[in-house]
Amino acid sequence: MPSNATDTPGSTFPLQVTTGSDTDLNSYLYPHHPLAVAKSLIQTAQALVNPRGKGIYATDETTDDIESRLASAEGIVGKLYTYAEKRDRRRRFRQCLYESLPTDYISGVILYHETLLDFQMGPVLSNRGIIPGVRAETNAHPLPISPSEPATQGLDDLLPRLQAATRAGARFSKWRAPILCNSSTLPTQAALEVQAESLARFAAISQQAGLVPIVEPDVDFAEDANLQRSVEVHVKIITMIYARCAAYGVLLEGSLIKPSFPQPGLKHPSRPNTSVEAVGLATATVLARSLPVAVAGVVFLSGGLSDSDSVQYLNAVNVVVNNAPSGSPLCLSRLPNLSFSFGRGLQGSAMQKWVGGDEAGAKAAFEERAKACFLAARGEA
């Protein structure tokens, strides 16, 4: 090499090429991805979205959030429980559903740290062939330059927390980054950059702990953005996330993404008349323009949507992919499996049954919702 030349970053990394019994993992890896770890990450990521239609049950609400939902389902205003009673009620609700999750439809479960570490329910799931995961982010704080926008926290002690989760049986983790969106001023460039950076750093640290990372850019739809604006913001944040993932050497084959559906804001006049087919096409367009081919799968979030809308949107994007012509300029055939990571979209009816003392009804209601999501993730709802 000439004396005035410099190495391209990464060009001197020793290439780890699998041979022999590892021909199923024929990848060039960075040194910080040992072969055994990389193989495990890829296998877990694939298992979370295969066979097509299976998806993730998100049970990572904070203790305050799950208490609020249980109280709302109970419908008894002012009923008081002691701290111990509340804790036991959370444990019993989780255990009721975990022990009966339909394994034909559910591949994994995201747990809150209380459920994983204190209640030790990882083995309850893994013994049934369901993959346990953990929520990684903590709280959000206002972005100083734009105080209305949140910046997600939790990076400082992330590695030891994820290592503890791994010891408790977790095999994947999830980090949510909310993105405010309106017709003109939001999101700011600063908000996009800080959230993309935090998601990429999380993903790298998660893989360092041996856990498949699920990055969750959650674009808000409470304001007045139209569908085109929502598509624009989704494409921008997802593109930025993967640019930062490349900078941190994230193994994309051992990762998933949990995006929101692009849609008009609640305050935009077009929302009532926007068809589910339009949302499906918009969602497929976003992914075709921004998702790297190597990412193992997509598991959509359902936050803020009705049970019906979340399933219809999921079905619509899969129908678009199923029916895409071979010569489509969007190249939709290259997209990975498009599945779900729903919480309220799965457990709402089951929770109503459970608080009324009908455990059998709760299990049946959950299975009914899980089957509907499974069919939607195949475009067959």
Side-chain angles (χ1 to χ4, degrees), residues 53-313:
K54 293 183 74 169
I56 296 171
Y57 175 30
T59 68
D60 57 316
E61 306 101 321
T62 66
T63 54
D64 287 343
D65 283 346
I66 189 62
E67 280 299 329
S68 175
R69 291 174 188 174
L70 286 168
S72 177
E74 200 169 24
I76 302 176
V77 179
K79 185 171 183 179
L80 298 178
Y81 292 92
T82 66
Y83 171 82
E85 288 171 337
K86 288 181 179 180
R87 190 174 188 274
D88 183 61
R89 185 168 70 155
R90 294 193 298 271
R91 181 193 60 78
R92 287 187 294 108
F93 174 66
R94 295 305 189 201
Q95 187 169 5
C96 171
L97 293 185
Y98 287 2
E99 290 180 343
S100 61
L101 291 178
T103 56
D104 288 343
Y105 312 134
I106 301 297
S107 59
V109 175
I110 308 172
L111 287 73
Y112 192 58
H113 62 77
E114 177 189 62
T115 319
L116 179 67
L117 301 178
D118 297 344
F119 299 162
Q120 298 184 346
M121 288 196 180
V124 174
L125 297 166
S126 57
N127 289 342
R128 303 188 63 243
I130 295 173
I131 303 171
V134 67
R135 170 176 168 164
E137 83 276 10
T138 55
N139 298 317
H141 65 85
L143 191 64
I145 196 171
S146 180
S148 67
E149 296 181 284
T152 310
Q153 299 185 91
L155 289 170
D156 287 350
D157 61 346
L158 182 59
L159 182 59
R161 287 194 292 111
L162 293 185
Q163 289 171 332
T166 302
R167 291 191 293 270
R171 290 170 55 194
F172 70 97
S173 62
K174 184 274 304 180
W175 180 288
R176 175 177 175 264
I179 310 290
L180 300 188
C181 177
N182 65 18
S183 62
S184 56
T185 59
L186 297 175
T188 62
Q189 184 66 20
L192 291 170
E193 289 181 1
V194 74
Q195 295 293 49
E197 178 76 8
S198 68
L199 285 166
R201 288 183 61 192
F202 147 73
I205 295 168
S206 179
Q207 292 187 338
Q208 184 179 3
L211 300 177
V212 169
I214 301 179
V215 296
E216 182 182 354
D218 183 359
V219 179
D220 175 71
F221 60 91
E223 294 298 325
D224 63 344
N226 62 16
L227 183 57
Q228 182 177 0
R229 171 66 172 165
S230 183
V231 167
E232 173 193 340
V233 171
H234 276 83
V235 169
K236 191 168 187 178
I237 184 59
I238 294 173
T239 302
M240 292 173 69
I241 290 166
Y242 287 112
R244 298 311 299 156
C245 283
Y248 286 108
V250 174
L251 181 67
L252 298 186
E253 299 94 318
S255 73
L256 302 173
I257 184 171
K258 179 177 178 176
S260 44
F261 294 101
Q263 58 197 284
L266 295 175
K267 296 179 182 178
H268 195 273
S270 69
R271 184 175 180 87
N273 300 318
T274 300
S275 67
V276 294
E277 291 80 11
V279 171
L281 179 58
T283 305
T285 301
V286 164
L287 297 175
R289 291 177 177 173
S290 60
L291 187 69
V293 175
V295 175
V298 179
V299 286
F300 290 99
L301 63 90
S302 64
L305 294 173
S306 67
D307 291 356
S308 173
D309 283 350
S310 59
V311 168
Q312 288 186 57
Y313 289 173

